[in-house]
Amino acid sequence: MDLNGLTTVIAELKDNVLTITLNRPDRMNSFNDAMRAEFKSLWSFADDEDDVHVIVIRANGDRAFCTGVDVHEGITISDNPFSKQDPGVDLSPKQNGCWKPLVCAVHGMVAGGALYWLNEADIIISSDDAQFFDPHVSYGMVAALEPIGLAHRIPIGEVLRMVLLGLDERMSAKRAHEIGFVSEILPRAGLWDRAQELAERIAAKPPAAIQGSIRAIWESRDTGRSHALATGMAYTTIGNPIAQQQVVRSDVPTRKYEVR
């Protein structure tokens, strides 16, 4: 894949970290058909490329990480009701079979369809000015797809409050941190550097161990406990011999760590 040929995002692969920067700041990084297609290709590239250990998504512009669908351009949806699919599928890594860890670094407005990325992120960090909201019902639209994904991450009461109040209320970065949606809040100036730091620390670990852990944990949310544990055992049987060959145990530092 030619990472230099993208039009809606900037993508750079360096030191095993694929950094994707949403690059439609004049449209508040809203997504259109072109962005959907580019993300679908990026997930396939990231999945197939062994040099990609971690993915970071961030956004250019001062006002917004992303405000969802570009309402001026719209997006293509089939007229045939049996051919219609969730437009966010193209944006979602796990639904595209990409089990590389995803770090999202968000700022400003994080609205509606932006949740497609956050709902499947493994780590979300936020600037202190971030505000989360879902405007669907204010515009007379059913809010279903993004909130359903969100309900698997945060308390159902918080999801319903966001949906039902629409444009009348925004969740602050502080509240998002309190409910465990965001794991860390930083000043805007330090957001990208911190995302890169976290990504590089993850990328330095054996990739087979990372991917197997992510897949086992995410898939467990769609199954019962016994089934999840059985599948998890299978993944350790498959992944541990590979991952242990990817690291020299005596070289792993055990006393250098942060306390959060």
Side-chain angles (χ1 to χ4, degrees), residues 86-258:
D86 178 356
V89 165
D90 298 332
L91 306 176
S92 306
K94 275 70 176 179
Q95 293 188 71
N96 280 276
C98 180
W99 301 101
K100 306 290 177 76
L102 173 59
V103 178
C104 282
V106 303
H107 73 275
M109 288 185 284
V110 185
L115 293 171
Y116 284 118
W117 289 299
L118 274 59
N119 288 344
E120 294 197 359
D122 301 292
I123 296 175
I124 303 170
I125 64 173
S126 165
S127 63
D128 50 18
D129 67 344
Q131 296 180 335
F132 306 81
F133 60 102
D134 189 336
H136 281 85
V137 298
S138 292
Y139 294 125
M141 302 170 68
V142 172
L145 301 171
E146 299 95 322
I148 288 172
L150 188 60
H152 285 265
R153 293 201 67 119
I154 66 175
I156 187 68
E158 297 288 345
V159 177
L160 289 165
R161 179 166 180 147
M162 181 185 292
V163 167
L164 298 177
L165 288 172
L167 288 170
D168 293 329
E169 184 176 271
R170 299 182 181 186
M171 180 188 293
S172 67
K174 177 176 179 292
R175 181 59 180 160
H177 184 261
E178 289 173 349
I179 63 175
F181 189 32
V182 164
S183 63
E184 191 171 351
I185 302 174
L186 304 106
R188 173 80 75 88
L191 182 66
W192 286 13
D193 286 345
R194 180 57 172 166
Q196 192 69 25
E197 180 183 18
L198 292 171
E200 289 175 357
R201 290 183 179 183
I202 297 168
K205 295 174 173 59
I210 293 291
Q211 283 183 257
S213 299
I214 287 176
R215 187 162 186 171
I217 293 166
W218 277 93
E219 288 183 347
S220 75
R221 301 177 67 81
D222 296 324
T223 64
R225 179 177 177 274
S226 296
H227 186 184
L229 288 171
T231 302
M233 185 62 199
Y235 285 160
T236 62
T237 301
I238 295 167
N240 284 0
I242 300 171
Q244 289 175 33
Q245 293 170 14
Q246 296 173 334
V247 66
V248 177
R249 190 181 182 95
S250 59
D251 291 343
V252 176
T254 59
R255 297 183 182 275
K256 185 179 180 181
Y257 54 85
E258 292 183 3

